[in-house]
Amino acid sequence: MIAWTIYLTFGGAVLLLLLPRGCARWIALLTTIAGFALGTVVFVGTPIPDLAHFTTIVRVPWVPALGMNYHLALDGVSLTMVLVTGISAVSTVLFSWDVEHRQNEFFFWLLLVVAGCYGVFLSADLFLLFVFYELVIVPKYFLIAIFGSTNKEYGAMKLTLYSFFGGMFVFVGILVAYVSGGSLDLNQLSQFEFSPQLQSWAFPLLFSWFCCAGRHLAAAHLGADWSCRCPDCGFDVACGNCDEARLLRRSPRRDESFPAGISDVEQMDRCAGSDRNRVCRGSGASPT
């Protein structure tokens, strides 16, 4: 049932293009409330032990020759982020209630971003996750370029270039994971023992995608130049943070250079904090 968070949000976005301008706010609000309600119902009705592993929701062959599947699955991390996305989506619509300029278009692009986020958090196929994540770039560009503040076209183009630049790295990483592990299924890849030599260069490629497409480096470099023009910047950072945690948590090996008592998430936070501080020192911005 939680897969309907994606379908309802996409449906609401299409409906916005067909109905009069006066209905745009209410359609967007009802759509986001419906997505949040679905997530809440699933959260309440799912036994906690079932959240310790992937539970398949939908699995349909997509490109069988390449092992690509439309595979949606649920675990504790993804369900939590679906709820966070629902809360953020409702809040964003309410905070944008006074938007008057091209109202239908604004909420159309906004709902596409929300739908893409739902897809990212529920994807259990590595390539499908990549598709949903890159899908968010298009509405993101138009939201900033049309509804941003001063010099908005520059900010939109710069963020888009960062995103596609990160996507180039992850595509190489996906190919390496597929050739080595023989699958794009995240659950199967988590059981495969990748060699340390491969992990030393392939895994950083995937991590670099979440730094660029997840906007950590972009946000640190652009600072207010980007975030002040971005009507919904929190969605992208949430996507990057969540998927860093999901892939790192499912990695079959941990970085032995850290002390034994340091958890995987703490490893990720220390690495991300170190990168952020280096970038901020170079740009003169505050690392906070």
Side-chain angles (χ1 to χ4, degrees):
M1 182 173 66
I2 200 169
W4 280 93
T5 55
I6 303 173
Y7 312 142
L8 282 176
T9 310
F10 275 127
V14 174
L15 197 61
L16 282 169
L17 299 180
L18 304 177
L19 295 182
R21 178 176 178 272
C23 303
R25 295 188 184 97
W26 291 104
I27 292 174
L29 182 61
L30 292 175
T31 300
T32 52
I33 289 176
F36 174 62
L38 280 174
T40 304
V41 169
V42 173
F43 178 79
V44 173
T46 304
I48 293 180
D50 292 346
L51 298 177
H53 53 81
F54 268 139
T55 301
T56 297
I57 305 169
V58 180
R59 188 185 181 98
V60 179
W62 187 13
V63 186
L66 298 177
M68 298 178 187
N69 298 291
Y70 180 76
H71 186 193
L72 303 179
L74 190 70
D75 67 350
V77 174
S78 57
L79 179 55
T80 301
M81 293 310 299
V82 165
L83 287 176
V84 171
T85 300
I87 295 172
S88 301
V90 175
S91 302
T92 303
V93 172
L94 292 176
F95 278 116
S96 305
W97 201 257
D98 59 347
V99 171
E100 297 292 342
H101 176 59
R102 300 169 73 168
Q103 212 174 86
N104 288 58
E105 292 181 43
F106 175 84
F107 288 109
F108 168 75
W109 295 122
L110 179 62
L111 288 185
L112 287 186
V113 173
V114 176
C117 290
Y118 281 134
V120 166
F121 298 138
L122 294 174
S123 296
D125 182 273
L126 190 55
F127 189 79
L128 181 64
L129 185 150
F130 175 71
V131 170
F132 272 121
Y133 212 124
E134 294 300 304
L135 178 65
V136 176
I137 297 176
V138 178
K140 192 73 179 171
Y141 173 84
F142 287 104
L143 278 172
I144 300 175
I146 298 174
F147 304 99
S149 60
T150 57
N151 203 15
K152 51 195 177 183
E153 293 85 0
Y154 170 76
M157 183 57 67
K158 198 166 186 179
L159 181 62
T160 302
L161 291 176
Y162 266 99
S163 302
F164 280 117
F165 180 74
M168 292 168 53
F169 287 105
V170 78
F171 191 72
V172 176
I174 288 175
L175 291 177
V176 171
Y178 175 69
V179 172
S180 302
S183 175
L184 291 170
D185 186 279
L186 288 178
N187 201 34
Q188 294 181 20
L189 289 175
S190 69
Q191 307 301 321
F192 183 78
E193 290 289 333
F194 293 94
S195 67
Q197 293 80 9
L198 180 67
Q199 292 186 50
S200 65
W201 67 269
F203 282 18
L205 285 180
L206 291 173
F207 184 78
S208 68
W209 174 45
F210 294 118
C211 285
C212 294
R215 282 70 173 178
H216 294 300
L217 297 182
H221 178 66
L222 296 174
D225 183 60
W226 163 63
S227 57
C228 291
R229 298 186 185 112
C230 179
D232 59 337
C233 57
F235 284 113
D236 290 322
V237 176
C239 280
N241 288 338
C242 172
D243 287 303
E244 284 170 11
R246 288 177 69 190
L247 290 188
L248 182 58
R249 183 166 64 86
R250 298 183 187 283
S251 173
R253 295 178 182 271
R254 54 181 279 122
D255 189 345
E256 300 299 336
S257 63
F258 284 90
I262 300 297
S263 68
D264 289 337
V265 175
E266 288 175 308
Q267 289 186 32
M268 179 189 69
D269 288 339
R270 290 192 180 189
C271 292
S274 175
D275 289 340
R276 183 169 56 251
N277 290 336
R278 285 197 298 270
V279 173
C280 290
R281 283 197 299 268
S283 61
S286 171
T288 58

